[in-house]
Amino acid sequence: MRESMATDIQKLIGTSEEDDEEMDMDVKEEDEENGGKHIAAQIMVGMDGGMTSNSSDNQFQHHQQFQEQVSSPGGGGARRSRPLEEKERTKLRERHRRAITARILAGLRRHGNYNLRVRADINDVIAALAREAGWVVLPDGTTFPSRSQGSRPAGGTSAAVTSSSSHLVSQPTTPPGSIRGVSPGHRSPVEYNSCRMKGVFIPNPSPYDQSASTQSQTPGMVGEGREQTESDPRVGGSMDTINDKQIVAIPPIPKLTERDFAGSPFIPVYVMLPLGAINMKCELVDPDGLLKQLKVLKSANVDGVMVDCWWGIVEAHAPQEYNWNGYKRLFQMVHELKLKLQVVMSFHECGGNVGDDVCIPLPNWVAEIGRSNPDIFFTDREGRRNPECLSWGIDKERVLRGRTAIEVYFDYMRSFRVEFDEFFEDGIISMVEVGLGPCGELRYPSCPVKHGWRYPGIGEFQCYDKYFLKSLKKTAEARGHPFWARGPDNAGSYNSQPHETGFFCDGGDYDGYYGRFFLNWYARILVDHGDRVLSLAKLAFEGTQIAAKLLGIHWWYKTASHAAELTAGFYNPCNHDGYAAIVATLKKHGAILNFSCSELWAVDQQVDFAEAHSDPEGLVWQVLNAAWDVGIPVASENALPCYDRVMYNKILDNAKPLNDPDGRHFLSFTYLRLSPLLMERQTYMEFERFVKRMHGEAVLDLQV
């Protein structure tokens, strides 16, 4: 059995001879072109497929291209006499090239609205930047200032873009601390979730929208700061020219000393399974491949896995007709490997957010109801519906074939508890996380990518369906101010900044009599929804830990209004604690707080988006202490892809606070997410090292 497991591990994390040969050929071509000279990390072009980065010094990752094949090494003889160590260095150089290109192209597409094709090469990038700066770039590469079009330079003296995507410049084999590699990139957890896995699945415009403006959303409303040129502070380093080619030289990331966690408290580590592990027919998609990956995780001493139990799959076709077949097979597989399970009651849609690589809508019968009554969905000021999850306004409204939303959630949870009774009784299911809003998080869907939001926009209030407006009117009349039965009319739009609005600016209406009334009502709806659902979850899963997930909305945290938190439902301006009521509700039901923000660096936010006044570390400190002060256990998960030591160290520092007098620490940590990239040798070894340190074990290569 040990030999079989070793074979499975080699199949999953080993690299094939074909990969070695491809990278060897790259290096050979580079040596021939550059006379054997080694040059610093640069832009690599002409990649296959989408964009992916993979580097131990990289803090911002993409998952879509250059995933090594999960296969056993080839059986042929040695193609070369090059040592294995040189091959490994070659692979790392390739990954650095791909990482740099991926980040440059992703940044230009996302933040600058550059219309770059998927297979864009260096010519496309330089031409786009030149045109942005006011130059004219002809198809043959001839380039000249637009104001001197009458005197176009001759071909021999033109500033033509001559570098070719077929020529690669090799990278010196230097220690990680001195690699001229990838500068820290955009790190918004909602943009989030910026590029988690395979890009974004953007569904068609919602048929429930009232406003025609939904159909005309364009990238122009997204990024307004297109005056970012060579002086853009987001771009670290300089441009070097070698053999008429330009390469990006990015300052080395300084080495960070590491804490020794040997002997520290044991924190279980779980791994979230892929979003599409179960298909729409409730079938396990690739049982053999998943089993092999689970065996590899088991070999790294991972404690268990987390899986979404999608409402849109299980109760897809008719009310109270549940199909758990795929989950039964999955859970049995996990049980046989002696792993634990954390399950998520996912009452939201998958698809439309950055990182969603599959589409799992709400149940069909719910969509039918929504077509005749679109007010069951969250609605913004312009009447745009968001069918990602049900509006909290119908929690107690019998609009779902005779049932309220709360009753629908409870029936689903009760069915799950009965179906998997043996797994509860045997302790295999260690925790149930209850979905409470978009992405399963307790918040309003204030930052929907499908409606044009981009980081670091403040978002919009989502309280304009008829059920919310009815509640607001009733509350305003009870207060004696019926004219307050309206949402703010000066709160800007999704991509506004606080100082651009009359509501969120310093001294704005958010802190006036009406503003405080509205924000209190808006936040109370959120807390009441969490209270109702958790009370029924506690009843359905008696004897098992339940959890609620909060997203760390850290942008604009250093401003007085905390605008992005306000639109998300967290009434947390500088003069009010917006998390006290939430943790009190969790305490009431004995629920765990699962907080997603633990790996973010404040310094990265300041470098990448200084104008966002972000402070993830300050937010983490506030939320963790709010929970710990009332005795609530805290679990966490990474909001962004995490493969390198720097981000792992940040998670460890938050999981086991230094010199905490009470010895407080995370209850558990969930890693997002299982993928072929995690199974690659270098990333897997780094992850295995992280698990050991979370478990309080000693590691040999500690940097102290």
Side-chain angles (χ1 to χ4, degrees), residues 188-194 353-354 443 447 449 453 551-553 555:
S188 153
V190 173
E191 186 169 353
Y192 188 63
N193 288 327
S194 212
N353 291 302
V354 181
R443 63 176 175 88
C447 302
V449 174
W453 175 87
L551 174 68
I553 299 183
W555 53 105

Side-chain angles (χ1 to χ4, degrees), residues 476-511:
E477 290 174 348
R479 178 74 179 267
H481 304 291
F483 52 91
W484 282 355
R486 57 177 177 82
D489 55 9
N490 59 346
S493 60
Y494 285 114
N495 294 304
S496 296
Q497 298 188 7
H499 65 273
E500 299 170 345
T501 73
F503 192 80
F504 297 115
C505 65
D506 289 349
D509 293 345
Y510 79 92
D511 202 29

Side-chain angles (χ1 to χ4, degrees), residues 52-258:
T52 282
S53 63
N54 179 16
S55 166
S56 60
D57 296 311
N58 221 348
Q59 293 186 28
F60 186 75
Q61 309 289 337
H62 300 268
H63 285 62
Q64 196 161 344
Q65 74 14 298
F66 193 60
Q67 294 176 347
E68 296 186 9
Q69 298 299 321
V70 184
S71 60
S72 59
R79 294 177 172 82
R80 300 177 184 274
S81 60
R82 299 174 64 248
L84 180 61
E85 185 179 39
E86 178 60 25
K87 291 184 179 181
E88 290 301 318
R89 287 199 295 266
T90 300
K91 295 169 191 172
L92 287 176
R93 288 197 293 271
E94 276 300 299
R95 291 165 183 166
H96 279 296
R97 296 187 187 104
R98 296 170 186 268
I100 294 171
T101 302
R103 294 174 61 140
I104 291 174
L105 297 182
L108 291 174
R109 287 192 187 96
R110 185 173 301 111
H111 308 303
N113 296 330
Y114 290 95
N115 187 22
L116 295 174
R117 56 194 176 93
V118 173
R119 292 179 175 271
D121 61 15
I122 187 66
N123 293 350
D124 298 314
V125 175
I126 295 178
L129 293 173
R131 292 188 182 103
E132 179 72 13
W135 291 68
V136 174
V137 181
L138 300 182
D140 65 354
T142 302
T143 305
F144 51 88
S146 58
R147 58 177 174 271
S148 58
Q149 293 183 17
S151 57
R152 299 182 182 182
T157 60
S158 69
V161 182
T162 59
S163 61
S164 169
S165 62
S166 63
H167 298 304
L168 305 179
V169 186
S170 66
Q171 182 186 37
T173 55
T174 55
S178 62
I179 288 176
R180 299 166 76 185
V182 183
S183 65
H186 172 47
R187 278 176 182 75
S188 153
V190 173
E191 186 169 353
Y192 188 63
N193 288 327
S194 212
C195 295
R196 268 190 188 166
M197 288 195 31
K198 296 184 179 177
V200 190
F201 179 91
I202 301 293
N204 293 327
S206 170
Y208 312 107
D209 288 343
Q210 291 179 343
S211 172
S213 63
T214 306
Q215 311 296 333
S216 62
Q217 294 292 333
T218 65
M221 69 174 291
V222 176
E224 299 175 358
R226 292 192 58 186
E227 293 77 24
Q228 313 282 352
T229 59
E230 62 271 32
S231 61
D232 192 331
R234 300 179 203 171
V235 182
S238 60
M239 293 289 291
D240 295 336
T241 303
I242 300 177
N243 296 335
D244 296 327
K245 300 176 179 63
Q246 286 185 324
I247 63 172
V248 177
I250 299 176
I253 299 174
K255 276 191 174 181
L256 298 176
T257 57
E258 296 183 293

Side-chain angles (χ1 to χ4, degrees), residues 269-437:
V269 177
Y270 291 76
V271 175
M272 174 68 86
L273 297 185
L275 293 169
I278 305 292
N279 64 22
M280 291 301 297
K281 297 179 180 179
C282 203
E283 300 169 338
L284 192 56
V285 173
D286 181 16
D288 293 335
L290 182 59
L291 179 60
K292 292 178 181 178
Q293 291 180 324
L294 291 176
K295 287 181 178 179
V296 174
L297 294 180
K298 179 68 175 178
S299 72
N301 291 320
V302 164
D303 299 276
V305 295
M306 177 181 271
V307 60
D308 289 284
C309 292
W310 295 101
W311 181 33
I313 292 177
V314 175
E315 197 179 359
H317 303 296
Q320 296 181 283
E321 292 185 6
Y322 307 104
N323 177 10
W324 298 102
N325 291 337
Y327 292 103
K328 289 179 182 177
R329 186 174 181 186
L330 172 62
F331 288 10
Q332 188 61 41
M333 182 186 300
V334 173
H335 180 33
E336 290 172 357
L337 291 174
K338 294 182 171 54
L339 293 170
K340 297 284 188 179
L341 271 167
Q342 293 179 337
V343 294
V344 184
M345 300 287 100
S346 296
F347 297 113
H348 61 282
E349 171 190 81
C350 179
N353 291 302
V354 181
D356 291 350
D357 60 334
V358 297
C359 178
I360 304 173
L362 297 187
N364 296 331
W365 59 274
V366 173
E368 291 177 5
I369 296 172
R371 281 189 280 274
S372 59
N373 180 16
D375 284 288
I376 67 173
F377 301 119
F378 283 101
T379 309
D380 64 17
R381 185 175 181 84
E382 294 186 17
R384 288 171 291 204
R385 313 291 184 172
N386 189 341
E388 185 176 353
C389 60
L390 295 178
S391 167
W392 303 334
I394 64 169
D395 276 359
K396 297 188 288 186
E397 300 285 342
R398 295 191 177 279
V399 295
L400 300 176
R401 304 276 177 90
R403 292 186 295 168
T404 67
I406 293 296
E407 290 171 341
V408 169
Y409 302 148
F410 178 66
D411 290 343
Y412 182 87
M413 291 187 287
R414 184 171 54 184
S415 171
F416 177 81
R417 177 62 180 82
V418 171
E419 195 71 40
F420 297 99
D421 178 70
E422 61 180 302
F423 294 93
F424 283 96
E425 295 299 325
D426 294 340
I428 304 301
I429 297 178
S430 61
M431 186 180 79
V432 178
E433 182 178 296
V434 184
L436 297 172

